[in-house]
Amino acid sequence: MASRKESGAAPSAIMASVGGSLDSPVKQIQIEGLVVLKIIKHYQEEGQGSEVVQGVLLGLVVDDRLEITNCFPFPQHTEDDADFDEVQYQMEMMRSLRHVNIDHLHVGWYQSTYYGSFVSRALLDSQFSYQHAIEESVVLIYDPIKTAQGSLSLKAYRLTPKLMEICKEKDFTPEGLKKASIGFENMFEEVPIVIKNSHLINVLMWELEDKSTVSDKHELLNLSSSNHLEKSLQLLMDRVDDMSQEIVKYNTYSRNLSKQQQQKHQYLQRRQQENTQRQSRGEPPLPEEDINKMFKPPQAPPRMDTLLIAGQVNNYCQNVKEFTSQNLGKLFMVEALQGNN
């Protein structure tokens, strides 16, 4: 059974020779239509169900616009292929593209998703490595399930500057995240995408649209969406269960910390009373002791996983909201068509 790593292989090693920096952040992404077709084809050939496919994005930066002009997939290999070097493979691919005068600069990576399930620690770590090495790097998320419903689902994300600082310091404690004002809503920033095609391709698309039959257009009003909605709600409930477990862990930590603080306060009061009694009897006070060694604070659970779960729950809710609003629109349109008939 083929297996695939969830994050790109050593992006910093690949991008060290092509790295650069931007004076201003990327505000728009322009992607060639051929790149979109390559990503879709990659999933259709290698993606099976919830299996994730990934690849490298190539292009260049013009002012505050990132132009993605080419891509190539990460190879699929089994666990027995221990001698396979992904970094060497990517370097060879970019060297070959450079020899035929094709844009070969590394500007990010892409990944497919299963019902919008892409907010994870693996994606966070991988995008941090890319964005730390090259500031303009982005990750494209392709959702084949949504695309099969009739509209292309392709979104670009970057880590916010606040989250980049937290990842650099590796301070994922509750105090560190609170100090940086990091919440699930400001972990990732979405960058608008514009798909660019040549004039010949635009003419071809107009011809294909003219040749399409009326019955094909009516398929857009198909209301058979129960499976999609049911699966989305099931995934949402699973993540809510994970969130409840994280809340239990944090509540346990809070209770243990409060209990220890009470014990520490009681110990200090007893010690102060005993020193007062010894002073009244003319005896020397008790020797100083390291309170922190006697009462070691409990280990705080990392909060980054909780933020990622909250971000994924929010993503599921947005997907359900978008999907149900589209279906309501279809119902009104079908009702209007039936009334006219």
Side-chain angles (χ1 to χ4, degrees), residues 57-164:
L57 299 175
L58 306 174
L60 65 158
V61 180
V62 180
D63 297 329
D64 59 355
R65 184 178 72 251
L66 177 63
E67 298 183 2
I68 301 175
T69 58
N70 204 351
C71 69
F72 62 85
F74 287 145
Q76 190 174 25
H77 58 277
T78 61
E79 296 178 354
D80 298 332
D81 300 333
D83 298 334
F84 182 80
D85 190 346
E86 289 191 0
V87 175
Q88 184 64 28
Y89 167 80
Q90 296 180 48
M91 293 294 293
E92 290 293 336
M93 283 292 297
M94 289 189 289
R95 188 177 297 112
S96 300
L97 292 172
R98 184 172 66 249
H99 288 164
V100 294
N101 292 328
I102 296 179
D103 292 331
H104 61 279
L105 298 181
H106 209 144
V107 295
W109 59 298
Y110 69 85
Q111 173 182 302
S112 65
T113 181
Y114 181 69
Y115 286 95
S117 304
F118 65 90
V119 183
S120 63
R121 188 61 179 268
L123 181 135
L124 174 65
D125 294 340
S126 184
Q127 179 59 22
F128 170 74
S129 299
Y130 276 89
Q131 203 165 322
H132 181 68
I134 292 186
E135 187 180 357
E136 63 267 22
S137 296
V138 298
V139 53
L140 288 182
I141 302 297
Y142 167 64
D143 192 336
I145 307 297
K146 268 189 174 182
T147 303
Q149 299 294 325
S151 61
L152 176 64
S153 177
L154 190 67
K155 296 184 178 181
Y157 293 97
R158 288 169 46 84
L159 301 184
T160 59
K162 288 184 178 181
L163 187 58
M164 287 292 295

Side-chain angles (χ1 to χ4, degrees), residues 43 52 60 64 111 121 168 227 246 262-263 278:
Y43 177 82
V52 172
L60 65 158
D64 59 355
Q111 173 182 302
R121 188 61 179 268
K168 289 178 183 178
N227 293 334
E246 292 294 327
Q262 292 179 359
Q263 293 176 350
R278 292 174 66 91

Side-chain angles (χ1 to χ4, degrees), residues 53-307:
V53 297
Q54 296 175 332
V56 176
L57 299 175
L58 306 174
L60 65 158
V61 180
V62 180
D63 297 329
D64 59 355
R65 184 178 72 251
L66 177 63
E67 298 183 2
I68 301 175
T69 58
N70 204 351
C71 69
F72 62 85
F74 287 145
Q76 190 174 25
H77 58 277
T78 61
E79 296 178 354
D80 298 332
D81 300 333
D83 298 334
F84 182 80
D85 190 346
E86 289 191 0
V87 175
Q88 184 64 28
Y89 167 80
Q90 296 180 48
M91 293 294 293
E92 290 293 336
M93 283 292 297
M94 289 189 289
R95 188 177 297 112
S96 300
L97 292 172
R98 184 172 66 249
H99 288 164
V100 294
N101 292 328
I102 296 179
D103 292 331
H104 61 279
L105 298 181
H106 209 144
V107 295
W109 59 298
Y110 69 85
Q111 173 182 302
S112 65
T113 181
Y114 181 69
Y115 286 95
S117 304
F118 65 90
V119 183
S120 63
R121 188 61 179 268
L123 181 135
L124 174 65
D125 294 340
S126 184
Q127 179 59 22
F128 170 74
S129 299
Y130 276 89
Q131 203 165 322
H132 181 68
I134 292 186
E135 187 180 357
E136 63 267 22
S137 296
V138 298
V139 53
L140 288 182
I141 302 297
Y142 167 64
D143 192 336
I145 307 297
K146 268 189 174 182
T147 303
Q149 299 294 325
S151 61
L152 176 64
S153 177
L154 190 67
K155 296 184 178 181
Y157 293 97
R158 288 169 46 84
L159 301 184
T160 59
K162 288 184 178 181
L163 187 58
M164 287 292 295
E165 291 297 326
I166 288 293
C167 292
K168 289 178 183 178
E169 298 174 0
K170 299 184 183 300
D171 184 12
F172 302 134
T173 60
E175 292 76 12
L177 296 177
K178 183 179 180 180
K179 181 180 179 181
S181 300
I182 291 291
F184 69 89
E185 65 278 357
N186 56 5
M187 294 176 62
F188 298 91
E189 57 182 2
E190 184 176 354
V191 186
I193 296 178
V194 175
I195 299 178
K196 180 184 177 183
N197 292 315
S198 65
H199 298 302
L200 290 176
I201 294 179
N202 288 331
V203 172
L204 176 60
M205 293 176 65
W206 276 106
E207 291 181 355
L208 293 176
E209 184 177 358
D210 292 337
K211 293 179 181 179
S212 63
T213 61
V214 178
S215 60
D216 293 334
K217 295 180 180 179
H218 279 182
E219 289 183 0
L220 296 176
L221 300 178
N222 186 11
L223 299 177
S224 58
S225 57
S226 58
N227 293 334
H228 180 88
L229 188 59
E230 179 183 356
K231 185 63 177 178
S232 298
L233 292 176
Q234 181 181 355
L235 292 172
L236 175 59
M237 290 187 294
D238 292 340
R239 300 310 282 172
V240 170
D241 290 339
D242 295 338
M243 174 63 73
S244 64
Q245 294 177 5
E246 292 294 327
I247 293 176
V248 170
K249 292 180 182 178
Y250 186 76
N251 288 339
T252 302
Y253 159 76
S254 300
R255 287 195 298 269
N256 292 337
L257 181 62
S258 176
K259 183 179 179 180
Q260 187 186 70
Q261 292 294 336
Q262 292 179 359
Q263 293 176 350
K264 183 178 179 180
H265 181 68
Q266 293 174 359
Y267 174 80
L268 291 175
Q269 284 185 336
R270 290 196 303 268
R271 183 180 177 85
Q272 184 179 5
Q273 293 175 358
E274 188 172 353
N275 282 333
T276 302
Q277 295 176 359
R278 292 174 66 91
Q279 186 179 4
S280 63
R281 295 194 299 265
E283 299 177 358
L286 295 173
E288 295 292 336
E289 295 181 352
D290 191 351
I291 302 298
N292 293 328
K293 290 184 178 180
M294 298 179 59
F295 298 94
K296 292 183 179 180
Q299 185 68 29
R303 301 297 290 169
M304 181 55 67
D305 293 338
T306 307
L307 288 180

